[in-house]
Amino acid sequence: KKQKQKMSLSGYGELQSVQELPQAVPLSNIERKSRVLMVLVDGSEFANKAFLKAIEEKRTEDTLYICTGVRMRDSVYLDSDPDLAQEYMKKLEEDGKALCQFYVDECKKRKEPNCHQVILTSDNPKADIVQFAHDKAVDTIYVGPRGLNKVQRILLGSFSQYIISHASCDVVLVK
């Protein structure tokens, strides 16, 4: 008669031998849940890489939110001329919409369904993006380490750090 071979980890209990371990469940037997993904874009090289990574990891059934934040308060313009400030803010919002549309169009070219643009306009787009991700039950946010400072768009180094620190979901920093 063969005795069952037991392995010990000094004080941590006994491990079964490899022959006694249960068989792994084949992946085909596991129900695949659709995920909600989010990528933050500003037109920078790093944002483009984050977008490509999100598309690479996106499955057909997943939803992808392509998001940019427009900071609606810029003291340089607000302090000098309210009309100019309003015109400037409108231009920023239009630029944000055009930017997101570029990425949505890229999804369509790649035949990726369920891609949606999100333009968040506020005095604090960082916090709004974190809140949006929470409200939409986002599973993963893709972000570049830094981005453009042009027209106060998102993904500055401090922006990425804020998202990493405050998001309740996984954040993938794409270099």
Side-chain angles (χ1 to χ4, degrees):
K1 292 182 178 181
K2 290 185 177 180
Q3 289 186 331
K4 290 185 179 180
Q5 182 182 5
K6 299 281 184 178
M7 295 180 268
S8 176
L9 294 175
S10 58
Y12 292 104
E14 293 180 353
L15 280 179
Q16 297 176 349
S17 69
V18 175
Q19 293 85 8
E20 295 177 40
L21 294 176
Q23 293 296 315
V25 178
L27 288 177
S28 60
N29 294 350
I30 298 173
E31 188 176 320
R32 293 182 71 173
K33 172 188 166 248
S34 65
R35 301 170 301 164
V36 180
L37 310 176
M38 182 177 189
V39 60
L40 306 180
V41 297
D42 69 353
S44 70
E45 175 187 348
F46 292 111
N48 292 341
K49 288 179 179 181
F51 171 77
L52 292 172
K53 183 69 169 175
I55 289 295
E56 176 185 315
E57 294 187 1
K58 181 186 177 297
R59 300 184 305 236
T60 304
E61 66 272 13
D62 295 342
T63 297
L64 176 63
Y65 290 107
I66 301 164
C67 183
T68 193
V70 179
R71 186 169 174 248
M72 295 307 286
R73 187 168 200 302
D74 191 322
S75 60
V76 173
Y77 289 104
L78 290 177
D79 293 341
S80 60
D81 182 352
D83 291 333
L84 183 59
Q86 188 174 7
E87 185 179 321
Y88 176 72
M89 296 304 158
K90 185 178 178 185
K91 174 77 170 118
L92 285 178
E93 190 171 357
E94 288 170 1
D95 288 351
K97 286 178 183 177
L99 178 68
C100 282
Q101 189 59 52
F102 168 81
Y103 289 104
V104 168
D105 291 345
E106 189 62 31
C107 286
K108 288 177 184 174
K109 286 179 193 173
R110 296 166 182 261
K111 299 190 184 327
E112 286 290 343
N114 305 321
C115 295
H116 309 281
Q117 65 176 325
V118 178
I119 296 93
L120 298 172
T121 57
S122 73
D123 289 345
N124 188 359
K126 294 183 222 181
D128 288 349
I129 286 170
V130 168
Q131 186 62 50
F132 179 88
H134 177 77
D135 293 347
K136 294 292 185 181
V138 170
D139 296 297
T140 308
I141 299 173
Y142 297 85
V143 64
R146 62 181 180 274
L148 299 175
N149 197 12
K150 181 181 177 186
V151 294
Q152 294 298 317
R153 289 211 185 117
I154 64 168
L155 297 184
L156 304 175
S158 63
F159 189 93
S160 300
Q161 185 59 47
Y162 184 91
I163 301 299
I164 291 166
S165 299
H166 292 89
S168 58
C169 61
D170 292 337
V171 178
V172 175
L173 185 67
V174 182
K175 293 183 182 184

